[in-house]
Amino acid sequence: MTRRTALAAFAACALATAVAFPAGAQPKAGEPLKIGFVYVSPIGDAGWTFQHDTGRKEMEKALGAKVTSKYIESVPEGADAERVIRELAQSGHQLIFTTSFGYMNPTIKVAARHPQVKFEHATGFKQAGNVATYDARFYQGRHVIGLIAGKMTKSNVVGYIGSFPIPEVVMGINAFARGM
C-alpha cells in the first residue's frame, strides 16, 4: 500500500469512526454504519475520485462488518447532485461524503432536511451542524513549486493555470505567488 493510499484509508476510517452521531442516526446494535459517497467522475477517470474510492475500499477492509458503503459515480454538479444526495439520505445512509466543490450547495440543502445524517463535503466552505468540510494541504506543494519557479525564471515571468475560481484554486495561486 502506498503512503497516499494509507493516508486516504486513514482519513476515511477516522471520519467514519470519529463523527458523533445524534441518537436517531446511530446504527442499531449489530447493524453496520451505512456510508454513501458521491463522485463527480467515473472512478478510473480522475485521480481525485480514484483516491476517494481507494479510501472507501480501505475503510471497508479496516472496519469490516462495522460499515457498509455505497458510491454513485459520474454525478453532475447541480440539481442531479441534490437528487442523488437526497436519495442516499432517505435510504438510511448515516454518513455521506460529497466529494466535489460543486456539491456544496446541494449538500447544505439536503442536510437541512436530514439533520440526523452527517455529511462530509470536500473543499467547500459552507458548514452546518451536520455538515463538515475536509481538504488536503495542497497549498504546501504549490508554495514549493512557486519557490522553484522563482529560482528558475530568467525573465521574471511565470505562469499558473487556475482551473476554476474556487477557494482551493485561489489558495493554490496565492501559495505559488508567495513562494515566488
Side-chain angles (χ1 to χ4, degrees), residues 159-170:
Y160 188 99
I161 298 173
S163 53
F164 298 99
I166 62 174
E168 174 190 340
V169 173
V170 173

Side-chain angles (χ1 to χ4, degrees), residues 82 86 108-116 130:
E82 183 180 334
R86 184 177 54 253
I108 293 293
K109 190 171 181 182
V110 173
R113 293 189 185 119
H114 297 278
Q116 78 284 5
N130 60 336

Side-chain angles (χ1 to χ4, degrees), residues 117-136:
V117 177
K118 293 289 186 179
F119 297 84
E120 292 285 338
H121 178 250
T123 73
F125 57 86
K126 293 183 181 178
Q127 297 182 344
N130 60 336
V131 180
T133 56
Y134 65 97
D135 201 350

Side-chain angles (χ1 to χ4, degrees), residues 5-19:
T5 303
L7 289 173
F10 174 75
C13 289
L15 287 170
T17 57
V19 174

Side-chain angles (χ1 to χ4, degrees), residues 26-156:
Q26 290 284 351
K28 294 181 179 133
E31 288 185 16
L33 177 68
K34 289 177 72 175
I35 304 171
F37 291 80
V38 183
Y39 299 148
V40 74
S41 64
I43 291 168
D45 194 36
W48 184 253
T49 296
F50 180 81
Q51 286 300 325
H52 272 92
D53 201 60
T54 299
R56 180 191 65 80
K57 290 174 186 174
E58 291 296 323
M59 173 196 67
E60 284 187 335
K61 190 169 26 170
L63 297 176
K66 294 178 184 176
V67 298
T68 62
S69 71
K70 177 180 181 176
Y71 67 88
I72 297 117
E73 58 187 328
S74 302
V75 178
E77 297 166 328
D80 203 36
E82 183 180 334
R83 177 191 59 79
V84 169
I85 297 164
R86 184 177 54 253
E87 286 175 2
L88 284 170
Q90 290 172 340
S91 65
H93 289 82
Q94 298 108 335
L95 175 61
I96 300 171
F97 287 84
T98 56
T99 64
S100 180
F101 179 82
Y103 297 155
M104 181 172 59
N105 289 331
T107 300
I108 293 293
K109 190 171 181 182
V110 173
R113 293 189 185 119
H114 297 278
Q116 78 284 5
V117 177
K118 293 289 186 179
F119 297 84
E120 292 285 338
H121 178 250
T123 73
F125 57 86
K126 293 183 181 178
Q127 297 182 344
N130 60 336
V131 180
T133 56
Y134 65 97
D135 201 350
R137 294 185 173 157
F138 298 117
Y139 62 88
Q140 293 176 335
R142 291 173 182 145
H143 181 264
V144 172
I145 292 168
L147 288 168
I148 294 167
K151 294 283 186 188
M152 291 182 68
T153 183
K154 304 232 185 291
S155 63
N156 289 329

